[in-house]
Amino acid sequence: MWNKWICLLGVLCLFACRTRWQDTSVQAAKEEQLQHAVRQLQAEGYHTLAGKLPLEEQLAESWRYQREKDGSGEVRYFVVSAKSKGDSFDAARVQAESLAKVQLAGLMETHIGQLVTNRLETSDGNTVMQTVASSKNLVTTRLSNVYPLLEVYRECRDGEIEVQLVMGCDRRWASEIAWAVISAEAVQSPSRGGSFSFSLTGLDQAYRNGESLRFSLIAEQDCYYHLFVFDADGVEQLYPGAYEEISLYKKGVEYFFPRNQWVAYSVEKGNYPVRYEQNILLVVATRKDIPFTGEVTVGNVLGWLRRIPEELRSEQYFSFLSE
């Protein structure tokens, strides 16, 4: 009996030692790969900016972002690299960042195509791809929550500066903002043809966390308003709400929102490691009282909007930043 326990204990010890040795070997291999990549960049003449993290730490961080998964096992971040040359560091960096955003929009095409298929309730491949392709440039310009993971530069023989960037953004945030832009078709777009027009004034370009939205609306037609805000976490209905009932608004009259002096449309920045976050305010004006019902989700809000006949509605999208 004792011999059996001793044998079992020995097997367990050997297994534990082997597992630890394997873990140590894997870690050593990763460290060697990292050091090799650092040496290669240094051999190519790349340097980091003063005040930035050392090259080794930047590179390790960029690799960590590429490996990290979310709760469902999907890649948590979109990560791309781009390089560009210019007469100065700033010029080269701006161009490299632009190229990185284009690459990010390309990575997002397949994922956004699935969102379009699901949320627009269509399986027409041509419709899906046309919708994504027509909005790709808009998506690129609205990708504000993109942060550099690796930022190095070198001086070229022709006197120009070459900047290499590795940039990443949260996959969920990027997809939702891209979807909001696609659904808008154009930020601050004019009213759709065949519908009446209205105008919004007083919306600032950026708000600090905790500040409140205040703006006014005026329409050329008697109408009912519905207000929604899209952000990285989805969508929120501003009006009507628990303390602000739906009402008919007369044409040519300027109305200020919030309607109730005790109500505040507070801006809340999400927990993302960037200074600014993109938000989109959707204003829907309808000739008849057509209430939105059900759970407030991106799909439900846009589904409700599409079901309203075009001759009865007018909608516009307005962007602002939160910090």
Side-chain angles (χ1 to χ4, degrees), residues 3-63:
N3 290 336
K4 291 182 179 179
W5 281 111
I6 292 173
C7 290
L8 179 60
L9 182 61
V11 170
L12 291 175
C13 290
L14 288 173
F15 180 77
C17 292
R18 181 179 179 184
T19 301
R20 182 177 299 178
W21 178 81
Q22 289 176 338
D23 291 341
T24 303
S25 299
V26 170
Q27 185 62 34
K30 289 182 179 179
E31 181 64 24
E32 176 57 31
Q33 289 178 345
L34 177 62
Q35 294 301 326
H36 176 74
V38 169
R39 291 192 297 268
Q40 184 174 353
L41 285 171
Q42 290 174 337
E44 294 174 359
Y46 283 104
H47 308 278
T48 58
L49 291 172
K52 294 289 187 179
L53 290 173
L55 177 58
E56 181 177 343
E57 292 186 34
Q58 291 190 43
L59 191 58
E61 184 74 352
S62 69
W63 285 9

Side-chain angles (χ1 to χ4, degrees), residues 111-138:
H111 187 72
I112 296 171
Q114 295 173 352
L115 290 176
V116 173
T117 300
N118 296 334
R119 295 178 178 178
L120 289 183
E121 299 174 354
T122 179
S123 58
D124 184 346
N126 290 332
T127 299
V128 171
M129 295 314 298
Q130 288 174 6
T131 302
V132 174
S134 63
S135 302
K136 186 173 180 179
N137 289 336
L138 290 171

Side-chain angles (χ1 to χ4, degrees), residues 78-314:
F78 288 124
V79 179
V80 297
S81 62
K83 64 174 65 175
S84 182
K85 296 169 64 176
D87 296 334
S88 64
F89 172 84
D90 290 338
R93 191 193 184 286
V94 168
Q95 181 64 21
E97 183 173 341
S98 298
L99 292 173
K101 288 184 176 181
V102 171
Q103 290 186 48
L104 282 171
L107 283 178
M108 293 159 57
E109 278 192 87
T110 300
H111 187 72
I112 296 171
Q114 295 173 352
L115 290 176
V116 173
T117 300
N118 296 334
R119 295 178 178 178
L120 289 183
E121 299 174 354
T122 179
S123 58
D124 184 346
N126 290 332
T127 299
V128 171
M129 295 314 298
Q130 288 174 6
T131 302
V132 174
S134 63
S135 302
K136 186 173 180 179
N137 289 336
L138 290 171
V139 170
T140 302
T141 62
R142 306 320 301 175
L143 285 175
S144 59
N145 282 25
V146 180
Y147 30 93
L149 303 172
L150 172 71
E151 184 175 351
V152 294
Y153 74 96
R154 67 179 177 181
E155 298 180 3
C156 302
R157 294 181 179 179
D158 56 7
E160 291 191 316
I161 302 296
E162 183 178 67
V163 172
Q164 181 171 343
L165 295 176
V166 176
M167 306 195 73
C169 67
D170 186 274
R171 180 182 61 83
R172 179 170 174 266
W173 176 89
S175 298
E176 288 299 334
I177 289 299
W179 166 248
V181 173
I182 286 175
S183 68
E185 294 184 355
V187 175
Q188 295 183 332
S189 61
S191 301
R192 292 180 179 273
S195 60
F196 57 95
S197 64
F198 65 87
S199 60
L200 178 148
T201 57
L203 187 69
D204 294 335
Q205 292 185 344
Y207 294 85
R208 294 185 182 276
N209 190 40
E211 291 185 336
S212 299
L213 304 180
R214 290 191 61 83
F215 50 85
S216 64
L217 291 166
I218 183 171
E220 65 175 17
Q221 168 74 42
D222 290 356
C223 65
Y224 299 85
Y225 290 118
H226 288 79
L227 311 176
F228 303 90
V229 169
F230 296 86
D231 61 17
D233 296 316
V235 61
E236 178 183 358
Q237 183 173 5
L238 296 183
Y239 178 87
Y243 302 100
E244 291 186 309
E245 296 182 353
I246 193 72
S247 177
L248 177 65
Y249 295 94
K250 298 295 183 180
K251 66 177 182 180
V253 179
E254 185 176 22
Y255 293 94
F256 292 86
F257 290 81
R259 300 296 298 149
N260 188 330
Q261 63 176 331
W262 305 110
V263 171
Y265 299 158
S266 298
V267 175
E268 297 183 4
K269 180 178 179 293
N271 187 25
Y272 293 90
V274 290
R275 179 177 179 183
Y276 294 104
E277 287 185 3
Q278 181 70 54
N279 302 266
I280 296 178
L281 170 65
L282 165 62
V283 180
V284 181
T286 57
R287 297 177 187 269
K288 297 180 180 180
D289 182 10
I290 306 176
F292 170 81
T293 58
E295 184 181 359
V296 183
T297 65
V298 174
N300 288 344
V301 170
L302 297 177
W304 166 79
L305 177 60
R306 291 191 302 273
R307 288 190 294 271
I308 301 174
E310 289 192 7
E311 64 272 13
L312 295 182
R313 78 174 196 258
S314 181

